[in-house]
Amino acid sequence: MNFINNLIYRKFFKKSTLVILLILCCQLKSQRTLTVGGTNWTVTIPSITEAGTNYAGTYESATNQVLLGASVPLLLGNGKISVHYQANPTWNSNLILQARRTGNGTTACVGCTLTGGTTYITVPLTTDVELFRINAILSLASYTNIPVQLELSGVSVTIPATTYNSLIVFTISAP
């Protein structure tokens, strides 16, 4: 009888452990967070005062125009920060948005790193592209005030004169 009880206990314990691990993994996955702060960027395009000239064509925001806060749980190891834009409501396809990470922000995490994103990448319309990654080694990777700079290029007299707006969307996911 003791042998049968022991066998039942082992089978139950193995199944219970598997269920607990699955629940734990699912809960940890939901702990990946991203917050976006900063201010709206209004590009000031200087007037053209001489016939036959064009605009400078490239304009940069402040180096900390967007401030990101992100956390990635230890057991998941890392998180991918991606970006895309949406016309809001009007955009011209000749205008090119780019983004780059200009610093590491603030963290108390020992052994955590940010990789990539320090050179401009073109931000696509509606489809995410990776900006940078967060890697957690020994603890929860929690960062605040990760600065992101934006760049607008393609400004030209050949683009119809109107107000163009876009909404830049940042996401965090597992790589």
Side-chain angles (χ1 to χ4, degrees), residues 82-102:
S82 301
V83 62
H84 73 270
Y85 78 91
Q86 300 169 348
N88 188 29
T90 305
W91 191 253
N92 186 293
S93 62
N94 292 317
L95 297 173
I96 300 166
L97 282 172
Q98 294 191 314
R100 70 178 177 152
R101 180 175 59 86
T102 57

Side-chain angles (χ1 to χ4, degrees), residues 25-41:
C25 288
C26 292
Q27 287 178 344
L28 287 176
K29 199 169 202 168
S30 67
Q31 292 180 2
R32 202 178 271 120
T33 61
L34 180 67
T35 58
V36 181
T39 58
N40 289 337
W41 179 39

